[in-house]
Amino acid sequence: MILPMAQTIRPLRADAERNRRLLIDAAAEAFAQHGLDVSVGEIARRAGVGRGTLFRRFPTKEHLIAAIFVDRVSDMTDTARLLMEEEEAGDALGRFMRAMIEMQVKDRGLFEAVGHSALTDPDVLRAHDELLATLGKMVRSAQRAGEVRDDVGPIDILMLTKGVAAAAEPMQCVVPRSWERYLDLVTDGLRPAAATKLCGRPPSRAQFEKALRDAS
Amino acid sequence: MILPMAQTIRPLRADAERNRRLLIDAAAEAFAQHGLDVSVGEIARRAGVGRGTLFRRFPTKEHLIAAIFVDRVSDMTDTARLLMEEEEAGDALGRFMRAMIEMQVKDRGLFEAVGHSALTDPDVLRAHDELLATLGKMVRSAQRAGEVRDDVGPIDILMLTKGVAAAAEPMQCVVPRSWERYLDLVTDGLRPAAATKLCGRPPSRAQFEKALRDAS
DNA sequence: ACCTGAACACCGTTCAAGT
DNA sequence: ACCTGAACACCGTTCAAGT
């Protein structure tokens, strides 16, 4: 294990760390309720701090959004680890994809907004590295069990969950769990029996990290 | 054919119609270049009209975006009709999906933004109705040829193209045509050979229209 | 080192005055 | 009927003054 030349060397003062938490939680709740266009003033008020404090902790509104995103990715890493212990090879991956999609469908907009900006900060990268490590094992294990085609990697799986969530979103208010339909279809496409040669190769972790960095 | 009780009864005055066109074209170009957060002032300036004129023609910025969206959907209808005439049953659908995805990948953000608002206006609905009519024939024809599973409908296809575009988008700057990879996988899932029972049923046109209307 | 709220620049939208 | 640009309300961000 090589530590990244981290910049979070000095921990925050106790009150600052507390405010950070309050802001992230208040923002997560507000965004979940009303979408991403709640004002930072409203968020600061809900968290019980001044507007300036928000911008001292997060250089921009998008960095605050990214912080919530990191929390969610970490949650998914926990879920993935749990599933690896408790489930059979094929079941684990299927369940992970369900959990991932449900999360993305729940917080409308949050994940769309993150694609475009401020993913440069290293917390985002580290959270994804951890998730991908576990997910990589999960995918390989499902492949060894013959339940998933060999030519896909963990990043493909991540992208596909995003795709299923996006596909289902327009109809979601009318057909609440329509994402299950599209997950079923993608799962059919993931089976070795269905496999036809895919364009390209599974994205590498290096490519993924570059993609995160390039999001201007 | 029953005409919808249209509201676009009275046509616009010549100069107004011209300004409308100028605004849509200027906005399309500006959005394609710099994303959706170019200001309405900038757009009005590019179109060579006052800011007030923009808001006289489009009650809100989102309505302007929706107008561009309608243009694109109409283009896709033309493409679909052409493909129906010129291609074999299976090829037509595949090519249509490619065209649809390429368009969504090209104008980043445009299609994400439209899902959420101002789709109530009847132009959006009519454009989709026309597209779905042609796409419905295309899907059935591919199904009769045994190239596509029977339990999907045209709206499923539309949603799946959105999903593929969304899945590919994060990696797009690093792996430019990565959407082809995910389209290949979805195509594998669409083949009758791969078919396992899907959750739910193909969305009906009535459900789709309700979804458009409910987007508050 | 951190907190705060007033101040700033900017953007979507409105409207009174013009043709 | 339509066009225009000044005016308004609001939001993200900064910063001087405080602890």
Side-chain angles (χ1 to χ4, degrees), chain A residues 11-22 57:
Chain A
L12 295 172
R13 220 168 68 177
D15 54 346
E17 180 59 44
R18 196 179 123 272
N19 283 339
R20 200 187 112 92
R21 222 348 85 196
L22 287 171
R57 219 40 65 201

Side-chain angles (χ1 to χ4, degrees), chain A:
Chain A
M1 290 284 179
I2 299 179
L3 304 180
M5 357 199 165
Q7 60 317 315
T8 323
I9 325 156
R10 154 178 54 73
L12 295 172
R13 220 168 68 177
D15 54 346
E17 180 59 44
R18 196 179 123 272
N19 283 339
R20 200 187 112 92
R21 222 348 85 196
L22 287 171
L23 281 165
I24 293 180
D25 291 343
E29 191 184 321
F31 288 150
Q33 285 174 6
H34 304 108
L36 285 177
D37 43 4
V38 282
S39 69
V40 295
E42 168 77 11
I43 291 168
R45 211 171 44 70
R46 285 195 189 211
V49 304
R51 264 208 306 287
T53 306
L54 193 157
F55 283 95
R56 161 162 274 269
R57 219 40 65 201
F58 305 97
T60 186
K61 186 183 183 182
E62 289 179 340
H63 282 81
L64 173 57
I65 295 174
I68 300 174
F69 184 58
V70 167
D71 268 13
R72 299 297 153 82
V73 174
S74 297
D75 290 349
M76 280 301 116
T77 305
D78 296 343
T79 303
R81 282 173 184 155
L82 209 77
L83 287 169
M84 283 283 278
E85 290 172 11
E86 297 191 348
E87 301 287 334
E88 306 284 338
D91 284 3
L93 186 60
R95 290 201 179 223
F96 171 80
M97 291 181 78
R98 296 179 68 87
M100 193 82 193
I101 294 163
E102 273 184 307
M103 181 187 65
Q104 283 168 291
V105 165
K106 192 144 114 202
D107 283 335
R108 53 167 188 177
L110 178 62
F111 290 82
E112 288 177 6
V114 182
H116 298 293
S117 61
L119 300 194
T120 316
D121 92 19
D123 287 345
V124 175
L125 206 127
R126 181 151 33 83
H128 275 97
D129 265 5
E130 285 177 24
L131 177 58
L132 285 175
T134 306
L135 185 55
K137 287 179 206 161
M138 199 182 269
V139 170
R140 273 190 294 278
S141 152
Q143 286 167 335
R144 250 181 271 119
E147 311 216 24
V148 168
R149 59 199 292 169
D150 281 319
D151 52 357
V152 300
I155 296 173
D156 287 323
I157 297 294
L158 234 46
M159 299 297 114
L160 286 170
T161 63
K162 197 200 169 192
V164 170
E169 187 242 9
M171 301 289 303
Q172 196 199 342
C173 46
V174 176
V175 189
R177 293 176 69 81
S178 61
W179 60 264
E180 292 186 305
R181 180 172 177 78
Y182 301 116
L183 176 57
D184 282 352
L185 195 138
V186 165
T187 305
D188 280 349
L190 281 171
R191 263 186 270 277
T196 281
K197 192 176 181 320
L198 298 182
C199 262
R201 302 183 2 85
S204 68
R205 201 174 300 198
Q207 286 175 320
F208 185 68
E209 291 176 7
K210 187 167 190 317
L212 286 181
R213 253 187 299 271
D214 287 2
S216 66

